[in-house]
Amino acid sequence: MKSMYLYLLPLFVTTLSATAQVTDKSLEGRWKLVSYDDGFAIIDVEKDTWIKKDQSEGLNKTYSTRCTPYEGVVRWSRESRFEFNDGVLTILSDGEREAKKYLLEFKDGKTYVRIEGEEDVQCIYIKDGKMHYQDEKDGMQFVFAKAE
């Protein structure tokens, strides 16, 4: 799952932008992944389901993540936490902690996150109490809710 972590980290940082300027204070605390859109499907981590995005059919069918390529990712997502505190993003997963410094940047009415050691800068915003993280290049979007 390390490769999933490396893929999600830059994407996580991208989505927090559009509605209001995000601050260190608004990010502070632990977050859990509740859903994401990988471009092919919308995955609901809490319900353990996914919906294939198929423009040609016009109708979406809901599937269980069990015994699909999404099963492992959903299990990892359900158990992992992202913690923002004092300019540091710590990812807690599989009993391990990995911490990296982050910096918020404001440009053209959006908030972007720059993670130490990462090349891409990602857009991030909070809407209806949920943090959205979007990879503007790939169109992937991740949605996080506050974790207990």
Side-chain angles (χ1 to χ4, degrees):
M1 278 294 147
K2 278 264 193 226
S3 62
M4 177 55 70
Y5 165 77
L6 294 174
Y7 188 72
L8 283 176
L9 180 61
L11 292 175
F12 177 75
V13 177
T14 306
T15 301
L16 297 171
S17 85
T19 56
Q21 189 174 35
V22 175
T23 64
D24 289 318
K25 181 104 175 124
S26 62
L27 288 178
E28 196 170 277
R30 282 189 179 189
W31 297 84
K32 63 181 178 178
L33 184 63
V34 293
S35 69
Y36 61 97
D37 178 341
D38 70 356
F40 173 75
I42 299 170
I43 298 87
D44 187 320
V45 174
E46 295 180 315
K47 292 180 182 175
D48 200 20
T49 60
W50 62 284
I51 297 171
K52 180 180 176 183
K53 292 171 63 174
D54 186 18
Q55 304 304 324
S56 63
E57 289 180 27
L59 298 173
N60 292 320
K61 181 178 177 185
T62 302
Y63 301 91
S64 168
T65 62
R66 290 180 203 88
C67 299
T68 70
Y70 295 114
E71 181 179 27
V73 175
V74 167
R75 186 174 40 254
W76 179 88
S77 300
R78 204 177 296 117
E79 297 168 0
S80 300
R81 296 294 179 262
F82 296 77
E83 182 175 278
F84 289 87
N85 190 18
D86 293 328
V88 176
L89 169 62
T90 303
I91 299 190
L92 311 161
S93 178
D94 296 329
E96 296 182 23
R97 300 172 63 91
E98 183 164 350
K100 292 188 176 196
K101 292 181 182 178
Y102 73 89
L103 179 65
L104 297 177
E105 299 175 356
F106 309 101
K107 182 179 176 184
D108 300 327
K110 294 182 179 183
T111 306
Y112 294 88
V113 176
R114 180 177 301 279
I115 302 274
E116 175 182 56
E118 300 294 328
E119 187 175 315
D120 293 332
V121 177
Q122 308 294 336
C123 178
I124 189 168
Y125 65 94
I126 296 176
K127 181 179 179 184
D128 299 328
K130 293 189 177 167
M131 178 176 56
H132 297 254
Y133 164 86
Q134 185 173 348
D135 184 327
E136 294 176 331
K137 292 178 186 175
D138 295 335
M140 296 181 72
Q141 180 166 334
F142 296 82
V143 180
F144 296 82
K146 283 284 190 168
E148 299 80 43

